Amino acid sequence: MHALLTTWTGEIAHEWVDYNGHMRDAYYLLLFSFASDGLMDLIGLDAAGREASGHTFYSLETHLNYLREVKEGAGVEVRTQILGLDTKRVDVYHGMYLQGTDTLLAANEQMLINIDTAGPHSTPFSAAVRDKLAALAAAHLGLPRPAYAGRAIAMPLPKHG
Amino acid sequence: MHALLTTWTGEIAHEWVDYNGHMRDAYYLLLFSFASDGLMDLIGLDAAGREASGHTFYSLETHLNYLREVKEGAGVEVRTQILGLDTKRVDVYHGMYLQGTDTLLAANEQMLINIDTAGPHSTPFSAAVRDKLAALAAAHLGLPRPAYAGRAIAMPLPKHG
């Protein structure tokens, strides 16, 4: 249980590549959004679970660091760590790696909130989802805090000389 | 010159809407990515300018706050402010509004870096681009700092009582 979750595996699609010849910034986030879907599948919020419970997740806030270019056709995988949890929010950290390697391509932190779709309004996790998230969060507590968690954008100070 | 720039105007496309019936998180960023293209057009880095100079911008880091749901067909516009600038980096702030209103739907800060595509490697802005960005940055210095600039994701403390 102490390992990161693999939440998405696949290849960089043709339609994700821009005029610079590499994956457009927004499609990194689409891939991470699919990884969040992968996490939801693992905790009982796949399409059937969303339908049965009337619950889903919305994104409140996201932060993304672009570390390396990614070209069309590259095989990548997303490894996911739960950084925090309260009654209705979960702080999720995704790392995108070249498949089968420890080469980190991009990092994305997402604050997700549980939603009752009948509102829509925020609502505590169902007991089943909460228990699964709590088990993951407890297992991930032993992992190092990732380098790109909790970042804010700031203009670096000019270098002297 | 003291007004925000309008860098994208349009409607929310069908393919940007997800199983929750509203715009998927990643497509907010696609729209903001188009707004950054709009900014590049305004400073001489449209397709012709990129071809002539061999320069383009890459994203280093992005932060996005989701404030309101956006449905298919909604008319929106992005207003853009330059928050900071050095010799090769620009800190750009985009607000997505319901068209013709001050209803803020989402906010996105992006740190962009100028790239010589022959490397590719980072390189100072060309003189023409630098002068245009510097004029915008000077004009925008008089504007209030936006509420969602410089944010970091953090789990809120539990409420007492």
Side-chain angles (χ1 to χ4, degrees), chain B residues 47-158:
Chain B
R50 292 194 304 268
E51 176 75 23
S53 66
H55 288 191
T56 191
F57 286 176
Y58 282 7
S59 290
L60 289 174
E61 191 164 2
T62 202
H63 191 100
L64 211 156
N65 286 81
Y66 300 93
L67 304 173
R68 290 169 199 266
E69 292 185 78
V70 189
K71 300 279 172 73
E72 182 179 344
V76 305
E77 61 193 44
V78 177
R79 301 177 200 150
T80 299
Q81 178 173 353
I82 307 297
L83 294 184
L85 185 66
D86 68 10
T87 56
K88 57 185 182 181
R89 274 171 289 232
V90 56
D91 185 356
V92 174
Y93 185 86
H94 296 304
M96 185 194 302
Y97 293 86
L98 267 186
Q99 214 168 323
T101 77
D102 286 326
T103 302
L104 185 62
L105 305 170
N108 175 221
E109 185 174 4
Q110 301 187 358
M111 184 67 82
L112 304 175
I113 189 163
N114 190 61
I115 295 289
D116 178 348
T117 55
H121 55 76
S122 67
T123 192
F125 298 116
S126 69
V129 167
R130 182 201 60 212
D131 289 351
K132 285 183 178 141
L133 281 173
L136 292 172
H140 289 180
L141 264 183
L143 295 169
R145 188 167 169 83
Y148 294 95
R151 295 253 316 181
I153 291 179
M155 181 61 74
L157 291 172

Side-chain angles (χ1 to χ4, degrees), chain A residues 37-120:
Chain A
D37 290 348
L39 173 66
M40 290 171 74
D41 290 349
L42 292 174
I43 60 173
L45 282 174
D46 57 358
R50 293 195 304 268
E51 176 75 23
S53 66
H55 287 191
T56 191
F57 285 176
Y58 282 8
S59 289
L60 289 175
E61 192 165 3
T62 202
H63 191 101
L64 210 156
N65 286 80
Y66 301 94
L67 305 174
R68 292 168 197 265
E69 292 185 79
V70 188
K71 300 280 173 71
E72 182 179 342
V76 304
E77 60 193 44
V78 177
R79 301 176 201 151
T80 298
Q81 179 173 352
I82 306 298
L83 294 184
L85 185 66
D86 68 10
T87 56
K88 57 185 182 179
R89 274 171 290 233
V90 56
D91 185 356
V92 175
Y93 186 86
H94 296 305
M96 185 194 302
Y97 293 86
L98 268 185
Q99 214 168 321
T101 77
D102 286 325
T103 301
L104 184 62
L105 305 170
N108 175 220
E109 184 173 5
Q110 300 187 359
M111 184 68 82
L112 305 174
I113 188 162
N114 191 60
I115 295 289
D116 178 347
T117 57

